[in-house]
Amino acid sequence: MAVRTSAARREVHDGRTVGEGRLVALDVAAEALSVSVKTLRRRIADGSVRGYRVGRLVRVDLDEVRDALVVEIPTV
């Protein structure tokens, strides 16, 4: 499903467009980052990842989750 805006065309896949990122279901984010849904729920609970409630559903911004979870390994 594609959503057209007056400024630009944005693609929406399994989620909604918010600002520059996308809100996606926890299972979609977990699969994209190769972590479990339980890990994402723990990170939301400890505050390191921000969750958004849409009705009764919990969504996360895929870009925010990627920034919070993906850490570069320093080289020697």
Side-chain angles (χ1 to χ4, degrees):
M1 173 171 103
V3 176
R4 285 187 185 246
T5 62
S6 59
R9 183 175 177 205
R10 298 182 197 169
E11 295 293 323
V12 178
H13 305 282
D14 298 321
R16 299 181 181 201
T17 303
V18 172
E20 295 297 319
R22 294 182 300 146
L23 290 185
V24 296
L26 294 179
D27 61 335
V28 173
E31 184 176 333
L33 297 171
S34 300
V35 297
S36 70
V37 172
K38 189 173 183 177
T39 296
L40 289 179
R41 289 187 184 279
R42 270 191 250 124
R43 296 298 182 125
I44 291 169
D46 74 14
S48 60
V49 171
R50 193 174 353 181
Y52 300 92
R53 189 163 294 281
V54 180
R56 294 183 65 204
L57 306 173
V58 176
R59 300 286 190 240
V60 292
D61 183 316
L62 196 52
D63 295 330
E64 287 180 7
V65 173
R66 185 173 287 118
D67 291 343
L69 296 182
V70 177
V71 178
E72 184 178 344
I73 299 173
T75 60
V76 180

